[in-house]
Amino acid sequence: MHVPDGFIDAPVSAVTGVVAAGAVAVGLRGARRELDERTAPLAGLVAAFIFAVQMLNFPVAAGTSGHLLGGALAAILVGPYTGVLCVTVVLLMQGILFADGGLTALGVNVLDMGVVTVVVAYALFRGLLKVLPRTRRSVTVASFVSALVSVPAAAVAFTLVYWVGGTTDIPIGKVFTAMVGVHVLIGIGEALITALTVGAVIAVRPDLVHGARGLATTLKLRVDGELVDAPTAAEPAPAPAAARSHRGLWATGLVTALVLAGFVSYYASSSPDGLEKVAADQGIDKKTEEHAAKDSPLADYGVKDVADARLSGGLAGIIGVGATVVVGSGVFYVLRRRRAQDTPEAPAHDKETV
């Protein structure tokens, strides 16, 4: 759903750019509260993983493919504010290095793929957890449903933006029907990837999943016909979650992302994705403009002057994962440091023992 330059006119692109910038600013502020010793080191990895999986287009209908958007996955793993930033980092890397998604349309893409997917998915996710049993399986189920809904929601958002600022005169009803129809199918793939990933992380480190926090319920005992909290056993407390090493999960996630982007991506579907297919069928792409980064040595996910397609695409994917994890980790490290600096120390009298 990467919108290229020329789909949306300049005034609306500018407005969406301002709105997206505001959303990112809110994300930066909110992420300082979300990022802690558990999530800060993993947020950059989440961005790199989304970048890698977005290279894996899967077939969804005759002549059409889809790929992960990642908003739901990021929001559930590291929190909604940080999730917006993760997707934004991915879109920046794709637009600047790989000429994927127009630079003048960056605001549209951040708003559509980063903000709408995160807000819709996380709101639905939290709502489902309130009515489902408080179990890890419920988190996985809620992840599936929220991811499924987030994709057609993004398609609706694009349709609305196109309705206001589209550069071609196409009946909006046709655009809406085509966009939502194909992206419902793509949403199924999004839901499966999101649920499998969230479920895999919960299985090994549930303490690192933002959306799974607070699921532990107090044991209840029935006393004289009434339910009361069971007393806490007098035993040594387990090590704090922050003290538990996350290096194993981090290394596994990074290797997985590198393998997906560097090797598996070669076998991804070459069919146009949902937006490309709808644009070609409906005539939305009549005024598409050349990408400003079309001469990038990594444009179109290939390394310039490397003739072998498998090697070229694999190297580009590995470079993209590396660049995304470095940039993302840097951003989240700075935010984490800012949070530490902004946290006031306890007053001296609070430290005294009475």
Side-chain angles (χ1 to χ4, degrees):
M1 202 181 293
H2 293 75
V3 180
D5 297 317
F7 275 26
I8 308 298
D9 63 28
V12 174
S13 295
V15 170
T16 55
V18 172
V19 175
V24 171
V26 173
L28 288 169
R29 189 175 184 84
R32 288 162 61 180
R33 299 192 300 270
E34 288 177 342
L35 293 170
D36 55 23
E37 293 82 357
R38 291 175 288 181
T39 54
L42 295 175
L45 176 62
V46 170
F49 183 79
I50 291 173
F51 174 91
V53 180
Q54 283 197 2
M55 293 183 66
L56 307 180
N57 280 46
F58 49 84
V60 294
T64 311
S65 70
H67 62 70
L68 181 81
L69 297 186
L73 177 62
I76 294 166
L77 289 180
V78 293
Y81 295 103
T82 308
V84 169
L85 300 182
C86 285
V87 179
T88 300
V89 168
V90 173
L91 293 172
L92 282 171
M93 294 297 100
Q94 292 170 332
I96 295 172
L97 297 180
F98 298 92
D100 188 10
L103 296 184
T104 62
L106 184 59
V108 177
N109 287 322
V110 169
L111 185 62
D112 194 33
M113 298 175 63
V115 179
V116 171
T117 57
V118 167
V119 171
V120 171
Y122 198 71
L124 181 56
F125 175 80
R126 299 307 306 181
L128 288 172
L129 288 186
K130 290 181 179 180
V131 298
L132 293 173
R134 298 171 63 82
T135 64
R136 296 177 184 178
R137 180 174 296 179
S138 296
V139 174
T140 304
V141 172
S143 300
F144 181 94
V145 176
S146 60
L148 173 62
V149 175
S150 71
V151 178
V156 171
F158 167 78
T159 304
L160 293 175
V161 172
Y162 177 81
W163 187 23
V164 177
T167 55
T168 54
D169 187 16
I170 306 298
I172 195 62
K174 291 184 177 180
V175 177
F176 176 85
T177 302
M179 284 293 295
V180 173
V182 71
H183 284 91
V184 166
L185 300 177
I186 294 174
I188 297 173
E190 177 102 10
L192 289 171
I193 295 171
T194 301
L196 289 173
T197 304
V198 171
V201 178
I202 286 180
V204 294
R205 289 296 301 272
D207 58 293
L208 295 180
V209 179
H210 183 277
R213 295 181 184 178
L215 288 182
T217 56
T218 305
L219 179 64
K220 299 286 186 179
L221 296 178
R222 187 175 295 278
V223 178
D224 296 332
E226 296 184 1
L227 290 176
V228 298
D229 293 344
T232 303
E235 59 184 20
R244 298 170 59 190
S245 174
H246 52 258
R247 293 179 181 176
L249 179 63
W250 198 93
T252 301
L254 181 59
V255 170
T256 301
L258 290 170
V259 170
L260 292 176
F263 300 97
V264 181
S265 62
Y266 178 76
Y267 302 99
S269 173
S270 59
S271 299
D273 65 23
L275 177 58
E276 292 172 336
K277 180 65 173 176
V278 172
D281 290 346
Q282 303 297 328
I284 297 175
D285 59 354
K286 291 179 180 178
K287 296 185 179 181
T288 303
E289 300 173 2
E290 284 191 333
H291 199 287
K294 63 181 179 62
D295 296 325
S296 165
L298 297 174
D300 297 324
Y301 297 93
V303 177
K304 189 176 182 180
D305 298 329
V306 176
D308 185 271
R310 184 192 298 265
L311 179 60
S312 178
L315 288 175
I318 290 172
I319 293 171
V321 168
T324 303
V325 76
V326 169
V327 172
S329 297
V331 170
F332 299 124
Y333 174 78
V334 171
L335 290 175
R336 173 63 185 142
R337 288 288 300 271
R338 289 288 299 275
R339 170 181 171 171
Q341 293 171 359
D342 293 343
T343 302
E345 294 186 1
H349 61 80
D350 289 344
K351 300 179 182 178
E352 296 178 358
T353 302
V354 178

